[in-house]
Amino acid sequence: MDTANVNVKLSEFAKVFFDGKPYDVPAELTIMTAMEYAGYRLVRGCGCRHGFCGACATIYRIEGKSPVHFALACQQKVEDGMYVATLPFFPLDRRTYDMEEITPDNQTMMQIFPEIFGCVACNSCTKSCSKGLNTMQYIAYAKRNDLKKCAETSFDCVSCGICSARCPANISHSLVGLLARRLSAKYLTPKSAHTHMRTKDIADGKFDDEINKIMRMPMDDIKKLYDTREIEK
C-alpha cells in the first residue's frame, strides 16, 4: 500500500477485511469511511448516500475472538483484525394496511403483527440494537396496546433490521414501532392548529417569493441567514 501521500503514521493503521479481502486503513475511520478509503463506492443503501438512515447495518467479528457484533457502519470505528460484512438491505416482513381504515383499538396490532405475542423475552433485540433502544420493552408496550409508550420508546429506531435478524420469534420490530407511531400521530396526539395554518399558507403560495429569493442566494448567505434567524417562541 502506497502511504506516501497519507498524513497518518503506519502504526495508526488497522488491518481490516471487507468481503474477505484485507485492507490497511487509518484506525480513526468509521467502517463506512474506511470502505471508501479502500476504494469501495457507496452509492446506495445508506442515508448519507441518498438512501435512508439505518440501511448500513453491519456484522463484524474481531480475528481470534468468538463474538459476532452488530453495528451501523456510519458509527462504528474500525479495529485491527476486523472482519466486516454489510447488510445494505434487510428483508423485513412488511404488512399492508390502510391508515384510513385502521384505528388504535385492541385488535389492530394483534391482527397486523400477531407474531409479537410469540416474543419469548430473550432480549436479543435490545442487546443487538445499534441505537441502544429498549426494543423488547416497546414490543411489550405493543402487546399491551399502549401505542403512545410504544411510539415514544421506538422513536429513535432507524429500521436497520439488526434486531429482527436476532429474533427467534421472527418479529419485524421496527415495523411494529412504525405502526405504533403512525397510529399515535393520527389518533392519539393532539392536533396542532398552528401547523395546519402554516401548511395552508405554504399551499396558498404565501412564501413563494421568499423561497425563490433564498434559492437564488449563495450558500454562505443562506448559512448566515439560518444562523441569525429569529426562533419563534
mmCIF file of all heavy atoms in Angstrom, residues 25-61:
data_model
loop_
_atom_site.group_PDB
_atom_site.id
_atom_site.type_symbol
_atom_site.label_atom_id
_atom_site.label_comp_id
_atom_site.label_asym_id
_atom_site.label_seq_id
_atom_site.Cartn_x
_atom_site.Cartn_y
_atom_site.Cartn_z
ATOM 1 N N VAL A 25 -6.193 0.510 6.670
ATOM 2 C CA VAL A 25 -6.941 1.765 6.658
ATOM 3 C C VAL A 25 -6.614 2.553 7.920
ATOM 4 O O VAL A 25 -6.249 1.972 8.949
ATOM 5 C CB VAL A 25 -8.470 1.502 6.590
ATOM 6 C CG1 VAL A 25 -8.833 0.729 5.328
ATOM 7 C CG2 VAL A 25 -8.950 0.757 7.828
ATOM 8 N N PRO A 26 -6.729 3.885 7.876
ATOM 9 C CA PRO A 26 -6.499 4.687 9.089
ATOM 10 C C PRO A 26 -7.412 4.249 10.226
ATOM 11 O O PRO A 26 -8.615 4.070 10.040
ATOM 12 C CB PRO A 26 -6.820 6.107 8.624
ATOM 13 C CG PRO A 26 -6.516 6.097 7.161
ATOM 14 C CD PRO A 26 -6.957 4.729 6.688
ATOM 15 N N ALA A 27 -6.839 4.074 11.405
ATOM 16 C CA ALA A 27 -7.570 3.481 12.525
ATOM 17 C C ALA A 27 -8.671 4.370 13.085
ATOM 18 O O ALA A 27 -9.520 3.896 13.831
ATOM 19 C CB ALA A 27 -6.590 3.115 13.639
ATOM 20 N N GLU A 28 -8.667 5.681 12.737
ATOM 21 C CA GLU A 28 -9.695 6.559 13.292
ATOM 22 C C GLU A 28 -10.952 6.599 12.439
ATOM 23 O O GLU A 28 -11.931 7.266 12.802
ATOM 24 C CB GLU A 28 -9.147 7.986 13.453
ATOM 25 C CG GLU A 28 -9.023 8.778 12.159
ATOM 26 C CD GLU A 28 -7.698 8.522 11.448
ATOM 27 O OE1 GLU A 28 -6.975 7.595 11.869
ATOM 28 O OE2 GLU A 28 -7.398 9.256 10.495
ATOM 29 N N LEU A 29 -10.976 5.881 11.317
ATOM 30 C CA LEU A 29 -12.120 5.933 10.418
ATOM 31 C C LEU A 29 -13.269 5.053 10.897
ATOM 32 O O LEU A 29 -13.069 4.063 11.604
ATOM 33 C CB LEU A 29 -11.713 5.484 9.011
ATOM 34 C CG LEU A 29 -10.652 6.306 8.283
ATOM 35 C CD1 LEU A 29 -10.417 5.743 6.887
ATOM 36 C CD2 LEU A 29 -11.063 7.774 8.205
ATOM 37 N N THR A 30 -14.483 5.427 10.501
ATOM 38 C CA THR A 30 -15.616 4.527 10.700
ATOM 39 C C THR A 30 -15.558 3.445 9.628
ATOM 40 O O THR A 30 -14.812 3.559 8.644
ATOM 41 C CB THR A 30 -16.955 5.277 10.573
ATOM 42 O OG1 THR A 30 -17.064 5.798 9.229
ATOM 43 C CG2 THR A 30 -17.052 6.402 11.582
ATOM 44 N N ILE A 31 -16.338 2.404 9.803
ATOM 45 C CA ILE A 31 -16.360 1.331 8.808
ATOM 46 C C ILE A 31 -16.742 1.887 7.439
ATOM 47 O O ILE A 31 -16.160 1.521 6.411
ATOM 48 C CB ILE A 31 -17.340 0.223 9.234
ATOM 49 C CG1 ILE A 31 -16.814 -0.504 10.477
ATOM 50 C CG2 ILE A 31 -17.574 -0.775 8.105
ATOM 51 C CD1 ILE A 31 -17.783 -1.503 11.071
ATOM 52 N N MET A 32 -17.722 2.786 7.414
ATOM 53 C CA MET A 32 -18.188 3.336 6.144
ATOM 54 C C MET A 32 -17.084 4.119 5.434
ATOM 55 O O MET A 32 -16.816 3.907 4.248
ATOM 56 C CB MET A 32 -19.407 4.231 6.365
ATOM 57 C CG MET A 32 -19.980 4.807 5.082
ATOM 58 S SD MET A 32 -21.438 5.839 5.383
ATOM 59 C CE MET A 32 -22.626 4.593 5.873
ATOM 60 N N THR A 33 -16.436 5.025 6.158
ATOM 61 C CA THR A 33 -15.381 5.814 5.518
ATOM 62 C C THR A 33 -14.160 4.966 5.209
ATOM 63 O O THR A 33 -13.435 5.234 4.240
ATOM 64 C CB THR A 33 -14.986 7.012 6.401
ATOM 65 O OG1 THR A 33 -14.690 6.552 7.727
ATOM 66 C CG2 THR A 33 -16.097 8.038 6.465
ATOM 67 N N ALA A 34 -13.917 3.912 6.008
ATOM 68 C CA ALA A 34 -12.807 3.004 5.730
ATOM 69 C C ALA A 34 -13.048 2.236 4.427
ATOM 70 O O ALA A 34 -12.120 2.001 3.653
ATOM 71 C CB ALA A 34 -12.621 2.031 6.890
ATOM 72 N N MET A 35 -14.287 1.861 4.180
ATOM 73 C CA MET A 35 -14.608 1.175 2.927
ATOM 74 C C MET A 35 -14.365 2.100 1.735
ATOM 75 O O MET A 35 -13.841 1.686 0.699
ATOM 76 C CB MET A 35 -16.053 0.688 2.946
ATOM 77 C CG MET A 35 -16.320 -0.428 3.934
ATOM 78 S SD MET A 35 -18.012 -1.064 3.866
ATOM 79 C CE MET A 35 -17.966 -1.956 2.303
ATOM 80 N N GLU A 36 -14.720 3.370 1.897
ATOM 81 C CA GLU A 36 -14.465 4.340 0.820
ATOM 82 C C GLU A 36 -12.975 4.568 0.645
ATOM 83 O O GLU A 36 -12.480 4.686 -0.484
ATOM 84 C CB GLU A 36 -15.191 5.648 1.127
ATOM 85 C CG GLU A 36 -16.696 5.513 1.070
ATOM 86 C CD GLU A 36 -17.422 6.817 1.383
ATOM 87 O OE1 GLU A 36 -17.024 7.492 2.341
ATOM 88 O OE2 GLU A 36 -18.365 7.130 0.661
ATOM 89 N N TYR A 37 -12.250 4.608 1.752
ATOM 90 C CA TYR A 37 -10.792 4.747 1.690
ATOM 91 C C TYR A 37 -10.178 3.582 0.923
ATOM 92 O O TYR A 37 -9.217 3.751 0.170
ATOM 93 C CB TYR A 37 -10.233 4.807 3.107
ATOM 94 C CG TYR A 37 -8.727 4.946 3.190
ATOM 95 C CD1 TYR A 37 -8.126 6.202 3.241
ATOM 96 C CD2 TYR A 37 -7.913 3.822 3.218
ATOM 97 C CE1 TYR A 37 -6.742 6.329 3.314
ATOM 98 C CE2 TYR A 37 -6.529 3.928 3.290
ATOM 99 C CZ TYR A 37 -5.951 5.191 3.337
ATOM 100 O OH TYR A 37 -4.584 5.308 3.406
ATOM 101 N N ALA A 38 -10.768 2.385 1.122
ATOM 102 C CA ALA A 38 -10.250 1.186 0.455
ATOM 103 C C ALA A 38 -10.662 1.095 -1.013
ATOM 104 O O ALA A 38 -10.230 0.191 -1.716
ATOM 105 C CB ALA A 38 -10.734 -0.057 1.203
ATOM 106 N N GLY A 39 -11.510 2.032 -1.457
ATOM 107 C CA GLY A 39 -11.866 2.052 -2.869
ATOM 108 C C GLY A 39 -13.294 1.675 -3.186
ATOM 109 O O GLY A 39 -13.700 1.706 -4.351
ATOM 110 N N TYR A 40 -14.080 1.326 -2.168
ATOM 111 C CA TYR A 40 -15.481 0.993 -2.399
ATOM 112 C C TYR A 40 -16.279 2.274 -2.654
ATOM 113 O O TYR A 40 -16.046 3.302 -2.015
ATOM 114 C CB TYR A 40 -16.077 0.262 -1.194
ATOM 115 C CG TYR A 40 -15.599 -1.155 -1.027
ATOM 116 C CD1 TYR A 40 -14.356 -1.417 -0.436
ATOM 117 C CD2 TYR A 40 -16.371 -2.232 -1.443
ATOM 118 C CE1 TYR A 40 -13.906 -2.721 -0.275
ATOM 119 C CE2 TYR A 40 -15.926 -3.538 -1.282
ATOM 120 C CZ TYR A 40 -14.694 -3.768 -0.698
ATOM 121 O OH TYR A 40 -14.245 -5.048 -0.547
ATOM 122 N N ARG A 41 -17.209 2.212 -3.574
ATOM 123 C CA ARG A 41 -18.096 3.343 -3.830
ATOM 124 C C ARG A 41 -19.465 3.026 -3.246
ATOM 125 O O ARG A 41 -20.159 2.126 -3.709
ATOM 126 C CB ARG A 41 -18.220 3.620 -5.337
ATOM 127 C CG ARG A 41 -16.949 4.149 -5.964
ATOM 128 C CD ARG A 41 -17.154 4.531 -7.433
ATOM 129 N NE ARG A 41 -18.061 5.672 -7.553
ATOM 130 C CZ ARG A 41 -19.233 5.632 -8.191
ATOM 131 N NH1 ARG A 41 -19.652 4.500 -8.748
ATOM 132 N NH2 ARG A 41 -19.987 6.698 -8.264
ATOM 133 N N LEU A 42 -19.842 3.761 -2.205
ATOM 134 C CA LEU A 42 -21.115 3.529 -1.541
ATOM 135 C C LEU A 42 -22.139 4.510 -2.104
ATOM 136 O O LEU A 42 -22.209 5.654 -1.685
ATOM 137 C CB LEU A 42 -20.955 3.707 -0.027
ATOM 138 C CG LEU A 42 -19.853 2.861 0.613
ATOM 139 C CD1 LEU A 42 -19.741 3.172 2.093
ATOM 140 C CD2 LEU A 42 -20.091 1.381 0.394
ATOM 141 N N VAL A 43 -22.906 4.055 -3.052
ATOM 142 C CA VAL A 43 -23.850 4.954 -3.722
ATOM 143 C C VAL A 43 -25.300 4.610 -3.399
ATOM 144 O O VAL A 43 -26.211 5.376 -3.718
ATOM 145 C CB VAL A 43 -23.653 4.924 -5.257
ATOM 146 C CG1 VAL A 43 -22.292 5.477 -5.619
ATOM 147 C CG2 VAL A 43 -23.816 3.505 -5.803
ATOM 148 N N ARG A 44 -25.529 3.481 -2.764
ATOM 149 C CA ARG A 44 -26.881 3.105 -2.387
ATOM 150 C C ARG A 44 -26.857 2.422 -1.031
ATOM 151 O O ARG A 44 -25.834 1.919 -0.600
ATOM 152 C CB ARG A 44 -27.500 2.134 -3.414
ATOM 153 C CG ARG A 44 -27.682 2.728 -4.797
ATOM 154 C CD ARG A 44 -28.304 1.718 -5.747
ATOM 155 N NE ARG A 44 -29.634 1.334 -5.310
ATOM 156 C CZ ARG A 44 -30.329 0.354 -5.888
ATOM 157 N NH1 ARG A 44 -29.835 -0.318 -6.887
ATOM 158 N NH2 ARG A 44 -31.543 0.074 -5.447
ATOM 159 N N GLY A 45 -28.004 2.422 -0.375
ATOM 160 C CA GLY A 45 -28.131 1.628 0.841
ATOM 161 C C GLY A 45 -27.617 2.278 2.110
ATOM 162 O O GLY A 45 -27.404 1.582 3.094
ATOM 163 N N CYS A 46 -27.383 3.592 2.120
ATOM 164 C CA CYS A 46 -27.021 4.265 3.362
ATOM 165 C C CYS A 46 -27.482 5.714 3.293
ATOM 166 O O CYS A 46 -27.476 6.327 2.235
ATOM 167 C CB CYS A 46 -25.524 4.178 3.645
ATOM 168 S SG CYS A 46 -24.469 4.522 2.260
ATOM 169 N N GLY A 47 -27.884 6.239 4.443
ATOM 170 C CA GLY A 47 -28.521 7.546 4.492
ATOM 171 C C GLY A 47 -27.668 8.677 3.963
ATOM 172 O O GLY A 47 -28.156 9.620 3.355
ATOM 173 N N CYS A 48 -26.351 8.599 4.203
ATOM 174 C CA CYS A 48 -25.509 9.682 3.710
ATOM 175 C C CYS A 48 -25.224 9.550 2.231
ATOM 176 O O CYS A 48 -24.470 10.317 1.678
ATOM 177 C CB CYS A 48 -24.209 9.754 4.476
ATOM 178 S SG CYS A 48 -23.914 8.535 5.701
ATOM 179 N N ARG A 49 -25.805 8.570 1.595
ATOM 180 C CA ARG A 49 -25.620 8.394 0.147
ATOM 181 C C ARG A 49 -26.981 8.329 -0.538
ATOM 182 O O ARG A 49 -27.214 7.521 -1.432
ATOM 183 C CB ARG A 49 -24.824 7.124 -0.161
ATOM 184 C CG ARG A 49 -23.460 7.054 0.498
ATOM 185 C CD ARG A 49 -22.531 8.202 0.097
ATOM 186 N NE ARG A 49 -21.219 8.040 0.689
ATOM 187 C CZ ARG A 49 -20.902 8.455 1.901
ATOM 188 N NH1 ARG A 49 -21.810 9.041 2.662
ATOM 189 N NH2 ARG A 49 -19.686 8.304 2.368
ATOM 190 N N HIS A 50 -27.897 9.149 -0.074
ATOM 191 C CA HIS A 50 -29.219 9.295 -0.693
ATOM 192 C C HIS A 50 -30.128 8.087 -0.483
ATOM 193 O O HIS A 50 -31.032 7.839 -1.261
ATOM 194 C CB HIS A 50 -29.089 9.590 -2.196
ATOM 195 C CG HIS A 50 -28.150 10.721 -2.492
ATOM 196 N ND1 HIS A 50 -28.419 12.018 -2.131
ATOM 197 C CD2 HIS A 50 -26.922 10.737 -3.066
ATOM 198 C CE1 HIS A 50 -27.398 12.794 -2.499
ATOM 199 N NE2 HIS A 50 -26.480 12.044 -3.049
ATOM 200 N N GLY A 51 -29.902 7.340 0.591
ATOM 201 C CA GLY A 51 -30.835 6.290 0.978
ATOM 202 C C GLY A 51 -31.588 6.784 2.193
ATOM 203 O O GLY A 51 -32.061 7.911 2.205
ATOM 204 N N PHE A 52 -31.683 5.968 3.236
ATOM 205 C CA PHE A 52 -32.273 6.454 4.481
ATOM 206 C C PHE A 52 -31.488 5.874 5.643
ATOM 207 O O PHE A 52 -30.955 4.781 5.556
ATOM 208 C CB PHE A 52 -33.764 6.088 4.577
ATOM 209 C CG PHE A 52 -34.037 4.625 4.554
ATOM 210 C CD1 PHE A 52 -34.088 3.887 5.717
ATOM 211 C CD2 PHE A 52 -34.238 3.965 3.348
ATOM 212 C CE1 PHE A 52 -34.337 2.524 5.709
ATOM 213 C CE2 PHE A 52 -34.492 2.600 3.328
ATOM 214 C CZ PHE A 52 -34.543 1.886 4.501
ATOM 215 N N CYS A 53 -31.396 6.637 6.715
ATOM 216 C CA CYS A 53 -30.584 6.245 7.855
ATOM 217 C C CYS A 53 -31.005 4.874 8.378
ATOM 218 O O CYS A 53 -32.183 4.573 8.492
ATOM 219 C CB CYS A 53 -30.714 7.294 8.964
ATOM 220 S SG CYS A 53 -29.655 6.952 10.370
ATOM 221 N N GLY A 54 -30.005 4.061 8.696
ATOM 222 C CA GLY A 54 -30.282 2.731 9.229
ATOM 223 C C GLY A 54 -30.029 1.640 8.231
ATOM 224 O O GLY A 54 -30.091 0.456 8.564
ATOM 225 N N ALA A 55 -29.738 2.006 6.987
ATOM 226 C CA ALA A 55 -29.555 0.989 5.956
ATOM 227 C C ALA A 55 -28.129 0.460 5.877
ATOM 228 O O ALA A 55 -27.838 -0.369 5.037
ATOM 229 C CB ALA A 55 -29.973 1.545 4.590
ATOM 230 N N CYS A 56 -27.219 0.959 6.732
ATOM 231 C CA CYS A 56 -25.829 0.489 6.671
ATOM 232 C C CYS A 56 -25.545 -0.503 7.800
ATOM 233 O O CYS A 56 -24.480 -0.470 8.424
ATOM 234 C CB CYS A 56 -24.862 1.669 6.721
ATOM 235 S SG CYS A 56 -24.910 2.646 8.241
ATOM 236 N N ALA A 57 -26.494 -1.373 8.062
ATOM 237 C CA ALA A 57 -26.301 -2.394 9.095
ATOM 238 C C ALA A 57 -25.089 -3.255 8.770
ATOM 239 O O ALA A 57 -24.883 -3.662 7.624
ATOM 240 C CB ALA A 57 -27.548 -3.264 9.206
ATOM 241 N N THR A 58 -24.281 -3.533 9.788
ATOM 242 C CA THR A 58 -23.007 -4.223 9.599
ATOM 243 C C THR A 58 -22.827 -5.321 10.636
ATOM 244 O O THR A 58 -23.193 -5.153 11.798
ATOM 245 C CB THR A 58 -21.837 -3.210 9.723
ATOM 246 O OG1 THR A 58 -21.982 -2.214 8.720
ATOM 247 C CG2 THR A 58 -20.503 -3.890 9.566
ATOM 248 N N ILE A 59 -22.274 -6.435 10.182
ATOM 249 C CA ILE A 59 -21.893 -7.530 11.073
ATOM 250 C C ILE A 59 -20.374 -7.630 11.040
ATOM 251 O O ILE A 59 -19.775 -7.575 9.968
ATOM 252 C CB ILE A 59 -22.501 -8.869 10.609
ATOM 253 C CG1 ILE A 59 -24.030 -8.772 10.568
ATOM 254 C CG2 ILE A 59 -22.079 -10.013 11.519
ATOM 255 C CD1 ILE A 59 -24.682 -9.987 9.947
ATOM 256 N N TYR A 60 -19.752 -7.753 12.228
ATOM 257 C CA TYR A 60 -18.297 -7.899 12.206
ATOM 258 C C TYR A 60 -17.823 -8.805 13.341
ATOM 259 O O TYR A 60 -18.512 -9.012 14.338
ATOM 260 C CB TYR A 60 -17.600 -6.534 12.282
ATOM 261 C CG TYR A 60 -17.728 -5.813 13.601
ATOM 262 C CD1 TYR A 60 -16.774 -5.993 14.616
ATOM 263 C CD2 TYR A 60 -18.774 -4.924 13.834
ATOM 264 C CE1 TYR A 60 -16.885 -5.320 15.820
ATOM 265 C CE2 TYR A 60 -18.888 -4.241 15.034
ATOM 266 C CZ TYR A 60 -17.943 -4.449 16.024
ATOM 267 O OH TYR A 60 -18.048 -3.787 17.224
ATOM 268 N N ARG A 61 -16.642 -9.354 13.150
ATOM 269 C CA ARG A 61 -16.001 -10.190 14.165
ATOM 270 C C ARG A 61 -14.523 -9.820 14.191
ATOM 271 O O ARG A 61 -13.926 -9.577 13.146
ATOM 272 C CB ARG A 61 -16.187 -11.664 13.853
ATOM 273 C CG ARG A 61 -15.344 -12.601 14.712
ATOM 274 C CD ARG A 61 -15.629 -14.068 14.398
ATOM 275 N NE ARG A 61 -16.772 -14.554 15.147
ATOM 276 C CZ ARG A 61 -17.585 -15.523 14.729
ATOM 277 N NH1 ARG A 61 -17.417 -16.061 13.549
ATOM 278 N NH2 ARG A 61 -18.580 -15.918 15.488
#
